[in-house]
Amino acid sequence: AHCPQMTSQFQSLTQRATKEVMHGSTSRWLRLVDLWTLTAELPDVCVAGHQSPMSVLWTWQVLLGGFCTHSPKQPTLGKLAEFRGVGCTAEQAHRICANNFLWVYMYECALAVPCTLV
């Protein structure tokens, strides 16, 4: 995931694990995923050093859409993605989760708030 402060060894391990998992699971639509570049294109920032809900949905949509050969929906035409929810962006998540003491970490709160890619 793309967060400027996310330059630890974990990110390279995640990228390497993604390549390993994809080996043998690629399709004609998806052969390679560079998670850093994929999420760098989103107009959003991070939530306490982690992907925002919008970024998480975007990442999984691309991965699962490429891996799964039997999708209930046809791919959407066009170049725009629409996200719906009160906590999709990092800004919304910060506003909702700033004083929420139910979660230990802000990103846990952010990912618990519904956000949908439509």
Side-chain angles (χ1 to χ4, degrees), residues 8-26:
S8 70
Q9 183 181 9
F10 177 75
Q11 276 60 49
S12 61
L13 291 172
T14 302
Q15 183 66 32
R16 192 166 47 247
T18 301
K19 284 184 177 181
E20 288 175 15
V21 168
M22 287 184 67
H23 183 73
S25 299
T26 59

Side-chain angles (χ1 to χ4, degrees), residues 45-101:
V45 294
C46 302
V47 177
H50 295 268
Q51 285 180 277
S52 69
M54 182 171 70
S55 180
V56 170
L57 281 172
W58 181 248
T59 302
W60 280 107
Q61 177 66 28
V62 170
L63 289 174
L64 294 176
F67 291 154
C68 302
T69 56
H70 302 290
S71 176
K73 291 185 175 182
Q74 292 297 319
T76 303
L77 299 176
K79 297 180 181 179
L80 296 177
E82 180 183 348
F83 297 87
R84 288 190 191 153
V86 296
C88 291
T89 67
E91 181 182 339
Q92 291 170 324
H94 283 286
R95 193 169 43 247
I96 291 169
C97 300
N99 295 316
N100 189 323
F101 300 106

